[in-house]
Amino acid sequence: MLFDYKYSGSTIVNNTSTSTGMSFSPDTLREPTFFVGKLNQKIAFREAISALHDVVISDLRFFPKDKEEYKLWAAEQEKLWLSDYMADFQIENVRARIQELKEELSAVQKEKRTVMGPFNKAKSAYFDYLYKNDKDAWFVLDPVITVHPDEVFFECFSKDESSYGKLSCNYNIFTEISDFKCGTTNIDYSEGLYNEFQKIRNYKDTEFKIDPSGFEAKTTNEQVYKEVKIDLPDSWVRGFLQVSSAMTLPATVLDLHPMDIFSLCQYLRRFKEKKGPRALRFVLEPDKPIKAVFEPSYDEITFHRSIFQGNEAKTIRIWGRRRLLILERLIPIARNFKVVLLGSGLPSFFIADLGDMSYTLGLSGWTKNDWSTAGNFDLMAPRTNVDLFTQEKVFNALKENWFESSDNLAKKLNLDPSVVSASLTAYTQAGRVIYDLNLGVYRVRELTQEPLNMKALRFASPQEEVANQYITENRVKITSNVNGDKLQIKGKVTDKNYTYDTMAVLDKDNRLIEGYCECSFYKSNQLKKGPCEHILATRMALHAKAAV
């Protein structure tokens, strides 16, 4: 997926003994979005934006050693060893000839090192410089920044696409706000900017600017523009959509004291497991301190400052726990950490309350289970057939204030809450709306300036397409009953020559919260990678039946 970015110069940071000026260059091909103000809470912002940088550079994937050079050396040595071995069976002049060839080869290799040495040294120095000064060549994806009437927020993904970071800053952390215009844009964010952030001090005035001058039209060549064409992977875009969908799902919520997060990070620093299972288990009992169990050692930490306020006891396991070290830098400035757990092996969110800022760290089920390819959480979100006119009506109402809760929109438009939820879900999956997990509201956030190719993004996994085919070919039979606030749908889905017994449970918001199937995909993953095509077809059949 090819995207064009066009920046008015590069991000500039001016540091003096008394002030720091940060000017971000926005993408001029998008709708004008800008912001100018001075930082009020300087140190807290420095630590939070630095923690966001830790997400960008995070890559915990396993990379095997590159043995290509060794294999080439071993192949050459094998020939020499073979010649030495064969020389024992030959006459003396053959052995002498082999020795001459060895000396000639050694001289050639020495000359090659002499000739190529300066080039290799310069190449190494160039890549070292590039890594330190122009990391855009290493990280091809620029961060997304959104300006709203009440806050400015940054979003980014880690290199391994398993961690999502979002920093929201309300306007109390700024003083002397000169001008702003709401919208979403990509910003030119060089690696050197991180080093400049570390120079922010309380005694220095710090100006924060998403440069409005980048949108001024000029007829001369005074303004230098940097144009970038990025072949943006579908996985990056789809990852953003999956995060937004996962945020809307039912979850277990608990609060942790900052010192509890410190205890988690301290344990991870002190003890590094060498074999699995490498899970972190939260043991939750109503009105009792929360416990964390580290597998496989089964060491237990009890958080006496944090009491679980839920109504039922449960145990939830998450994997990829070393990614929690990203939160370390936030501990001194955090008031509280809210933990949102979707379930064992499912995504989790850690929200740091920083006063006038909030920092959200979203983690996929485990490190290799990245947001983009393995999760289909959009398939678990509310699904109701809503006509395009009604969807646009809901979106336009949301855009009036830029953010709003689903219930308030339903009252404002006099629409059924399920219709509003389904409409917002559709826009969330289209990359035009994001769910604010911290405040519980939907926000307008246009991920790209061009409409997304939803077919390419949505069917990265073929489950929904196959499920739709089952419905079309009338291969699904269902029965349903209501039990309290839950709707239970039982079905029989014929796939080729076998009929699977299925079950789908929906909550009052039409979200899939439980499911069962006899197929191998479900038995291997349950709902950790989203529902299988049979569960999805069972759910879709209910809406198809209602539409008839």
Side-chain angles (χ1 to χ4, degrees):
M1 188 174 294
L2 188 64
F3 289 93
D4 293 336
Y5 295 158
K6 187 175 184 180
Y7 298 116
S8 174
S10 298
T11 294
I12 299 172
V13 179
N14 294 316
N15 264 301
T16 68
S17 59
T18 59
S19 66
T20 298
M22 295 180 294
S23 179
F24 293 88
S25 290
D27 180 8
T28 61
L29 295 179
R30 303 190 66 156
E31 285 293 318
T33 300
F34 50 84
F35 180 90
V36 180
K38 287 188 177 180
L39 279 178
N40 180 24
Q41 302 176 23
K42 304 179 182 70
I43 301 302
F45 177 81
R46 181 190 72 193
E47 297 304 297
I49 199 71
S50 298
L52 199 68
H53 173 268
D54 292 340
V55 173
V56 174
I57 64 174
S58 174
D59 190 353
L60 297 179
R61 293 171 296 182
F62 171 73
F63 293 98
K65 280 187 176 181
D66 184 4
K67 299 182 179 180
E68 193 62 33
E69 291 187 6
Y70 168 76
K71 290 179 180 179
L72 292 173
W73 173 84
E76 292 295 327
Q77 284 297 115
E78 188 175 3
K79 295 177 184 178
L80 296 176
W81 292 330
L82 180 61
S83 63
D84 288 341
Y85 174 77
M86 295 300 295
D88 293 335
F89 300 95
Q90 306 296 325
I91 54 178
E92 287 298 324
N93 59 345
V94 173
R95 184 174 298 175
R97 178 57 179 160
I98 290 175
Q99 185 61 34
E100 290 176 11
L101 292 175
K102 283 184 180 180
E103 293 174 357
E104 290 180 14
L105 181 60
S106 178
V108 170
Q109 291 175 339
K110 184 177 180 180
E111 186 177 354
K112 178 183 176 182
R113 287 193 295 270
T114 303
V115 173
M116 296 296 293
F119 169 76
N120 291 330
K121 185 176 180 181
K123 183 173 70 172
S124 177
Y126 168 72
F127 282 114
D128 287 342
Y129 171 84
L130 193 65
Y131 185 80
K132 293 177 182 178
N133 298 280
D134 188 11
K135 225 167 192 178
D136 289 339
W138 297 81
F139 302 110
V140 298
L141 307 177
D142 290 319
V144 177
I145 185 170
T146 303
V147 179
H148 270 202
D150 63 326
E151 69 178 30
V152 178
F153 59 90
F154 302 81
E155 296 176 90
C156 66
F157 258 122
S158 62
K159 286 182 68 178
D160 57 17
E161 296 183 1
S162 72
S163 303
Y164 162 84
K166 177 174 177 276
L167 173 62
S168 301
C169 310
N170 72 34
Y171 288 165
N172 289 333
I173 75 162
F174 300 101
T175 59
E176 302 178 26
I177 297 176
S178 304
D179 198 7
F180 73 89
K181 182 171 174 42
C182 296
T184 300
T185 185
N186 296 83
I187 57 171
D188 176 47
Y189 190 156
S190 61
E191 168 64 13
L193 188 60
Y194 170 77
N195 297 324
E196 298 300 332
F197 280 141
Q198 310 314 305
K199 300 176 184 178
I200 295 177
R201 297 293 186 272
N202 273 332
Y203 61 82
K204 298 168 67 174
D205 289 336
T206 302
E207 184 181 50
F208 182 90
K209 180 191 295 184
I210 303 170
D211 192 5
S213 65
F215 299 97
E216 295 178 357
K218 297 210 174 190
T219 56
T220 67
N221 293 325
E222 295 177 2
Q223 189 72 31
V224 178
Y225 287 91
K226 181 177 71 173
E227 295 192 33
V228 183
K229 290 184 183 291
I230 295 180
D231 188 8
L232 200 62
D234 287 351
S235 62
W236 183 82
V237 181
R238 191 168 188 272
F240 266 96
L241 307 187
Q242 292 299 322
V243 168
S244 298
S245 297
M247 286 179 175
T248 65
L249 298 177
T252 300
V253 180
L254 51 112
D255 291 310
L256 290 180
H257 190 277
M259 288 306 296
D260 297 332
I261 295 294
F262 172 77
S263 298
L264 284 175
C265 294
Q266 184 185 47
Y267 182 92
L268 294 174
R269 289 289 185 193
R270 292 181 62 194
F271 305 102
K272 187 172 182 179
E273 64 289 339
K274 295 184 179 180
K275 58 182 180 179
R278 302 176 179 88
L280 174 61
R281 187 196 309 168
F282 286 97
V283 180
L284 310 173
E285 296 182 40
D287 301 321
K288 290 187 178 180
I290 297 168
K291 297 179 182 179
V293 179
F294 295 84
E295 299 179 9
S297 62
Y298 295 97
D299 293 333
E300 182 180 292
I301 299 177
T302 302
F303 303 135
H304 295 285
R305 302 177 184 87
S306 305
I307 307 299
F308 180 56
Q309 304 296 330
N311 297 321
E312 58 178 309
K314 59 182 71 176
T315 298
I316 299 176
R317 300 167 77 202
I318 63 173
W319 283 262
R321 62 197 187 196
R322 301 202 71 83
R323 294 173 292 174
L324 293 177
L325 293 173
I326 293 172
L327 299 174
E328 268 187 317
R329 194 156 186 172
L330 301 175
I331 294 172
I333 60 173
R335 299 178 179 180
N336 182 59
F337 285 87
K338 181 167 72 173
V339 183
V340 180
L341 304 172
L342 300 190
S344 294
L346 291 172
S348 56
F349 296 91
F350 292 77
I351 305 172
D353 178 5
L354 309 178
D356 292 318
M357 295 184 291
S358 69
Y359 183 101
T360 302
L361 175 65
L363 305 177
S364 60
W366 55 93
T367 305
K368 289 186 178 181
N369 178 260
D370 61 74
W371 284 103
S372 58
T373 58
N376 292 290
F377 305 107
D378 54 337
L379 304 183
M380 301 170 70
R383 297 183 112 63
T384 302
N385 293 325
V386 182
D387 60 272
L388 292 177
F389 176 79
T390 303
Q391 288 186 15
E392 290 181 4
K393 184 179 179 181
V394 172
F395 181 75
N396 290 334
L398 177 63
K399 201 164 185 179
E400 288 180 7
N401 296 324
W402 291 89
F403 64 95
E404 196 67 82
S405 69
S406 175
D407 291 339
N408 287 346
L409 280 176
K411 293 177 182 178
K412 182 178 179 180
L413 299 174
N414 196 25
L415 292 173
D416 188 277
S418 64
V419 172
V420 175
S421 295
S423 300
L424 292 172
T425 297
Y427 279 103
T428 298
Q429 293 165 5
R432 305 187 68 184
V433 169
I434 183 176
Y435 183 71
D436 188 333
L437 191 60
N438 186 43
L439 299 180
V441 297
Y442 287 88
R443 294 182 178 275
V444 175
R445 193 264 274 123
E446 303 273 5
L447 188 58
T448 60
Q449 71 269 25
E450 299 292 337
L452 295 174
N453 183 347
M454 294 312 300
K455 184 175 181 180
L457 293 171
R458 181 159 186 163
F459 296 114
S461 176
Q463 279 96 330
E464 189 169 19
E465 189 173 15
V466 174
N468 187 65
Q469 185 178 350
Y470 291 153
I471 300 294
T472 304
E473 297 175 359
N474 197 27
R475 289 194 269 167
V476 184
K477 305 296 180 184
I478 63 168
T479 59
S480 61
N481 67 284
V482 178
N483 184 10
D485 290 336
K486 298 178 181 178
L487 172 63
Q488 186 181 77
I489 311 167
K490 292 184 177 180
K492 292 185 178 292
V493 182
T494 303
D495 183 0
K496 297 180 181 177
N497 297 323
Y498 191 85
T499 299
Y500 295 99
D501 288 328
T502 61
M503 181 186 70
V505 180
L506 310 182
D507 67 5
K508 61 182 180 180
D509 294 320
N510 201 30
R511 296 176 297 194
L512 180 68
I513 56 175
E514 294 179 38
Y516 170 78
C517 185
E518 296 178 322
C519 71
S520 59
F521 181 88
Y522 175 82
K523 290 179 179 178
S524 299
N525 305 294
Q526 279 77 46
L527 295 177
K528 296 181 179 67
K529 294 186 177 181
C532 66
E533 59 267 27
H534 310 110
I535 295 176
L536 192 57
T538 302
R539 174 189 184 174
M540 292 169 62
L542 180 71
H543 300 302
K545 183 178 179 181
V548 174

